[in-house]
Amino acid sequence: MRLAIVAFALGTWLCQRLPELPTLTTLLLATLGVAIVAAALFVQHRRDGLSANVLRAGVLVLAFLVGLGWAVLRAQWRIGDELPSDWEGRDVVVTGVVEDLPDLIRNGVRFMFAVEHADGPVPSHILLSSSSFERKGVVRGYMPMVRPGERWRFTVRLKKPHGFANPGGFDYEASLLERGVRATGHVRQGGEAVRLDANVFAPMAYVHRLRDSIRTRFAAALPNAEFAGVLIALAVGDQRAIPDEQWTVFRKTGVAHLISISGLHVSMVGLLVGWLVGWKWRRSTRKVLRLPAMKAAAAAGFCAAAAYAVLAGLGIPTQRSLIMLAVVALALLFGREAHGSRVLALALLCVLVVDPWAVVAAGFWLSFFAAGVIMYMLGGRLETAKGWRATVGMQLGITFASLPATLALFNAFSIVSPIANALAIPAVSFLITPLVLVAIVVPFAPLLHLAHWLMGLLMVFLGWVANLPFAMWQQAAAPGALVAAAVAGVGWMFLPRGTPARYMGMLAVLPMLAWSPPRPGPGGFRLVVLDIGNGTAVHVQTARHDLMYDTGPAYGAESDAGERVIVPYLQAEGIPRLDRVVISHDDLDHTGGAKSLVEGIPVVELLTNLPRDRLPSDAATMPVRECVAGDRWQWDGVEFEILHPAAEEPSLHGDNDHSCVVRVASPNGSALLLGDVELPAERRMRERSAERLASDVVVVAHHGSKTSSGADFIAASGGREAIFSVGYLNQYHHPSPSVVERWTEAGARGWRTDRQGAIRVEFASPRMTVEALRSAQARYWYGH
């Protein structure tokens, strides 16, 4: 049965790798074929005409096909509930109920909305935001304050789920699909926003209102408290109030799993309540005769864990933990043996039946992998230890065993995790979390103050550990074959004592740790135009050097392209430093990610014409060169040249025309990076050195604005590939259709980051190749 469940999981996983879903007709025909084969196998088995091995193989294949078919069917249902393309960007009136906890953002709120009625083809679940705005220091606009369980009527403007598509990046569209969100949008200022009902009758609506009241009470009891967000997360599972700098400490020390209501906390509550009930039950002869103490403890523990999981909002990790506890509790109640591997397999089956998209979440793999390691270590296959040795051995075992999975999922691994968890696990599990749980029931503010003080002490220790020079191991994303070899090597090392050459398993792990992606050869280079919205961020890599041209936009007061896209991409590509960063000009869509970039990765030199007071604070000590036409340098047989602006030329109007223009050339091809230059600057460059403009690839100026890309300039460049770095449904309507048409008429092939994701160009012998990420790594939810 366990192998059949694993086969079912593999079928589910395969569905989430498909570039397109099979049609319903194909699915029905396949289902009929599977049923016929299953019936034939059963008949043959009853006639004793089928060997046991053939039968097992047939069952595994059938389980695989059932998993694939179930996931495809669920995906067809969910994908079918989508927003038609011609309804994107149109005003539509919707009526529905606020779901889950609203997320308080800067000058606004973001919330899930279950649509009951709409005057257009709107999906049943949408993610909305509503915010006011600042103009001349005055907050303007109306922002409705929504609470869970309220029924509202809004005028909204929607678009299909869309996220950035970059190597090593987070798949936001897959995350929304798993949550059932089939459109995102915002409440229109000046449109209809009317609360129709303050208290809709629905079980989870009451739960979310309770969670909201607890969150509000905690925030009021801890005004401006540094770690209030952590305590709220431990109480109701809402992690959105935790600042990014605290998350950085948690990730570096490997304790992020303690801050979310996951398997550890749910299990702890269940075990604690179960132990208390069992202890009390054994002291009553009448109760023991009616029901054994162990069964009473199992039932009570599961009920307590379920209550805590519901209070946490029943997130995906919490659901997985609760399902596993339910399997154990049912086994104890019915007098069946709760074997670890059987519990894990049944939990895996239940999770994937409920949520086939769980396999795309990193937490799914880590939680099941960690649970499997713990069960393996407690199953008597390793030498048993007592007391603190058992605790230390367990922590070290989990840390080492999860190394391949963690590196594969996050391209990083906390080396100090055993040290940090040795204190953090008991502090959070047995001191801070119990105080928080008691504070939920007993509204006594000193309990929260004590929990906050303890959290502050823990953070002092974690901050010290996180700042150790060897705290994190970071490397490029390794190929699947090396990951599989590392997992097998770890498994070999965990075999029972007496197994010959167990230490040899480490040799299978080393290739993954030593992996470094191939770089271009001498004389060649790689150019990647990142998908960062309406802005520019281009990575140029030679055999031994790396350059970043522009740093993308800011996405608000607390996020930017450097943090969300560029640094994760560079880490996934195994790039330890940038030899030069070029900031073309002083526009926020080109400079917005600079601060996070220089904070997240070492930068040797900055090339820009921005004044010093406009540079990131961390750039104050690094060398800064002016961007002046005629400046040249060569890296590994590749020539870099600045074509604009010229020092002797009279001043041009506006920042755009002062953009730093860079041409990269090699024997295998050339590329032109234009920033936001407009028609006057294009004319100056043609007059000054038209022959230097000729390039095979052009990152089109000003995102395809109609104020750039004049016909004469396009002819002078002679670009065969024109790349538009633009945002999805951006407010400027870039690229202009007339500009796209001019490039097409000139014979260039057009590429767009909003539709095709990151664009990767390899300038290598024997020919130049261009690849779009959404095509190279296509998934069925792209474009839906």
Side-chain angles (χ1 to χ4, degrees):
M1 183 188 73
R2 280 162 282 195
L3 288 178
I5 291 176
V6 172
F8 179 92
L10 288 175
T12 306
W13 173 82
L14 178 62
C15 173
Q16 313 311 334
R17 309 288 294 181
L18 294 176
E20 293 183 6
L21 289 174
T23 64
L24 287 176
T25 302
T26 303
L27 186 59
L28 289 173
L29 291 174
T31 302
L32 180 61
V34 169
I36 293 172
V37 172
L41 286 174
F42 180 76
V43 171
Q44 281 292 105
H45 178 64
R46 293 296 298 269
R47 293 177 179 175
D48 296 327
L50 204 64
S51 69
N53 289 334
V54 173
L55 179 64
R56 291 191 191 98
V59 170
L60 293 180
V61 172
L62 286 175
F64 174 83
L65 294 175
V66 169
L68 175 61
W70 172 246
V72 168
L73 182 62
R74 289 288 303 277
Q76 288 281 13
W77 289 342
R78 188 157 291 183
I79 289 293
D81 183 29
E82 67 176 349
L83 181 74
S85 298
D86 56 354
W87 278 82
E88 289 185 295
R90 293 171 57 174
D91 286 352
V92 56
V93 178
V94 298
T95 302
V97 178
V98 177
E99 295 185 303
D100 211 331
L101 282 179
D103 180 16
L104 302 178
I105 58 177
R106 180 179 173 86
N107 294 333
V109 63
R110 184 184 297 115
F111 55 96
M112 290 282 292
F113 197 67
V115 177
E116 297 175 327
H117 179 267
D119 58 2
V122 174
S124 57
H125 294 274
I126 59 179
L127 180 64
L128 295 176
S129 63
S130 175
S131 61
S132 55
F133 58 94
E134 291 187 15
R135 180 175 293 172
K136 297 181 179 180
V138 179
V139 177
R140 304 175 184 271
Y142 170 69
M143 180 187 69
M145 298 304 297
V146 298
R147 297 193 64 214
E150 293 180 338
R151 178 176 284 114
W152 283 79
R153 183 167 60 241
F154 294 120
T155 300
V156 300
R157 186 166 287 183
L158 302 173
K159 64 179 180 180
K160 291 184 176 183
H162 188 85
F164 303 137
N166 294 288
F170 174 67
D171 195 335
Y172 181 61
E173 292 169 48
S175 175
L176 290 178
L177 182 68
E178 182 184 15
R179 295 163 58 190
V181 177
R182 302 304 303 130
T184 64
H186 62 276
V187 177
R188 293 282 285 158
Q189 290 287 343
E192 190 171 17
V194 180
R195 188 175 70 176
L196 303 176
D197 194 339
N199 193 359
V200 175
F201 177 77
M204 285 306 295
Y206 286 105
V207 171
H208 293 315
R209 277 196 291 272
L210 175 61
R211 297 175 67 212
D212 184 54
S213 65
I214 293 171
R215 181 176 67 174
T216 302
R217 177 159 59 85
F218 276 35
L222 298 168
N224 303 317
E226 187 176 3
F227 309 112
V230 175
L231 302 188
I232 291 172
L234 292 174
V236 296
D238 181 18
Q239 306 171 9
R240 293 166 292 193
I242 301 176
D244 289 339
E245 54 269 21
Q246 292 179 17
W247 276 121
T248 300
V249 172
F250 298 149
R251 283 191 292 267
K252 284 186 174 181
T253 54
V255 302
H257 64 102
L258 295 174
I259 310 305
S260 60
I261 299 179
S262 57
L264 180 64
H265 299 96
V266 172
S267 302
M268 181 196 69
V269 170
L271 290 173
L272 178 60
V273 172
W275 177 81
L276 288 173
V277 170
W279 176 79
K280 183 68 174 176
W281 202 271
R282 290 185 183 92
R283 276 146 182 78
S284 172
T285 305
R286 182 167 54 88
K287 291 180 179 178
V288 170
L289 291 174
R290 185 177 301 172
L291 182 69
M294 182 170 287
K295 293 187 177 183
F302 174 73
C303 290
Y308 188 37
V310 170
L311 185 63
L314 279 179
I316 300 299
T318 312
Q319 290 180 27
R320 289 194 291 266
S321 305
L322 191 60
I323 289 171
M324 293 176 69
L325 285 176
V327 173
V328 175
L330 288 173
L332 291 173
L333 287 173
F334 288 99
R336 305 296 295 272
E337 181 185 0
H339 193 276
S341 60
R342 186 179 294 115
V343 169
L344 204 62
L346 289 174
L348 176 66
L349 176 63
C350 294
V351 167
L352 294 181
V353 168
V354 174
D355 179 21
W357 298 275
V359 292
V360 302
F364 168 85
W365 297 101
L366 287 179
S367 60
F368 274 99
F369 193 81
V373 171
I374 292 172
M375 291 178 181
Y376 181 88
M377 295 184 70
L378 293 178
R381 301 192 64 175
L382 301 179
E383 183 180 11
T384 57
K386 303 293 183 182
W388 66 270
R389 289 185 179 86
T391 303
V392 172
M394 179 68 70
Q395 183 59 46
L396 290 174
I398 294 173
T399 300
F400 183 75
S402 61
L403 187 150
T406 305
L407 280 178
L409 293 168
F410 303 111
N411 308 316
F413 185 81
S414 174
I415 298 176
V416 298
S417 174
I419 301 173
N421 277 284
L423 179 62
I425 288 177
V428 174
S429 300
F430 302 117
L431 293 175
I432 298 172
T433 301
L435 285 171
V436 169
L437 294 178
V438 173
I440 292 175
V441 182
V442 182
F444 186 53
L447 291 172
L448 290 176
H449 295 156
L450 177 58
H452 187 271
W453 179 75
L454 291 171
M455 190 67 211
L457 291 180
L458 178 61
M459 286 299 295
V460 171
F461 169 73
L462 294 179
W464 173 76
V465 174
N467 288 325
L468 293 174
F470 53 84
M472 288 286 288
W473 175 281
Q474 289 187 328
Q475 67 172 72
L482 294 185
V483 176
V487 172
V490 168
W492 182 265
M493 295 179 70
F494 274 78
L495 289 175
R497 290 179 64 88
T499 302
R502 283 196 304 159
Y503 64 90
M504 296 294 289
M506 189 61 194
L507 298 179
V509 180
L510 292 178
M512 180 182 184
L513 297 178
W515 164 256
S516 180
R519 298 178 67 96
F525 70 98
R526 177 181 300 131
L527 181 143
V528 180
V529 182
L530 294 174
D531 179 13
I532 43 84
N534 216 60
T536 301
V538 182
H539 175 225
V540 181
Q541 184 179 68
T542 66
R544 293 178 298 166
H545 294 82
D546 291 275
L547 175 143
M548 180 61 63
Y549 181 86
D550 280 337
T551 63
Y555 301 129
E558 301 174 352
S559 179
D560 58 57
E563 173 198 11
R564 285 177 52 184
V565 177
I566 302 175
V567 172
Y569 158 77
L570 294 174
Q571 292 174 346
E573 293 294 307
I575 296 166
R577 70 172 190 176
L578 290 170
D579 298 282
R580 184 164 294 174
V581 171
V582 179
I583 300 180
S584 64
H585 66 295
D586 194 9
D587 270 2
L588 193 60
D589 57 337
H590 296 252
T591 66
K595 183 176 184 297
S596 295
L597 177 62
V598 299
E599 288 176 353
I601 192 167
V603 175
V604 176
E605 186 178 52
L606 197 62
L607 181 63
T608 184
N609 289 331
L610 269 66
R612 277 278 182 179
D613 60 353
R614 295 287 296 163
L615 296 178
S617 56
D618 284 27
T621 57
M622 73 175 61
V624 179
R625 292 175 55 183
E626 288 189 6
C627 179
V628 180
D631 189 9
R632 295 184 178 89
W633 69 93
Q634 191 177 92
W635 285 343
D636 311 315
V638 179
E639 181 180 324
F640 294 76
E641 181 180 4
I642 307 299
L643 300 183
H644 185 77
E648 71 278 3
E649 285 183 336
S651 177
L652 290 162
H653 176 71
D655 284 332
N656 287 347
D657 272 338
H658 284 88
S659 293
C660 184
V661 175
V662 180
R663 183 175 183 267
V664 188
S666 78
N668 302 314
S670 55
L672 190 60
L673 312 178
L674 292 167
D676 277 356
V677 293
E678 299 184 342
L679 296 173
E682 292 178 355
R683 183 173 62 252
R684 294 271 182 93
M685 284 188 283
R686 284 191 293 106
E687 293 171 351
R688 187 168 58 244
S689 54
E691 70 283 355
R692 306 297 299 172
L693 295 173
S695 302
D696 299 294
V697 175
V698 178
V699 180
V700 177
H702 204 182
H703 322 293
S705 166
K706 61 184 178 182
T707 60
S708 304
S709 297
D712 292 338
F713 183 83
I714 292 175
S717 72
R720 293 181 290 148
E721 312 287 347
I723 303 175
F724 298 89
S725 181
V726 291
Y728 184 68
L729 296 180
N730 65 87
Q731 60 180 325
Y732 308 104
H733 306 291
H734 293 156
S736 169
S738 60
V739 171
V740 175
E741 184 178 356
R742 283 201 292 269
W743 279 101
T744 302
E745 289 177 349
R749 182 170 52 164
W751 302 82
R752 295 177 53 154
T753 57
D754 60 337
R755 296 178 180 175
Q756 297 166 288
I759 310 298
R760 181 187 184 109
V761 188
E762 295 281 354
F763 294 86
S765 182
R767 62 186 180 89
M768 179 187 76
T769 60
V770 188
E771 180 182 79
L773 187 136
R774 285 184 183 267
S775 298
Q777 301 177 16
R779 297 293 182 265
Y780 66 82
W781 53 81
Y782 286 164
H784 287 279

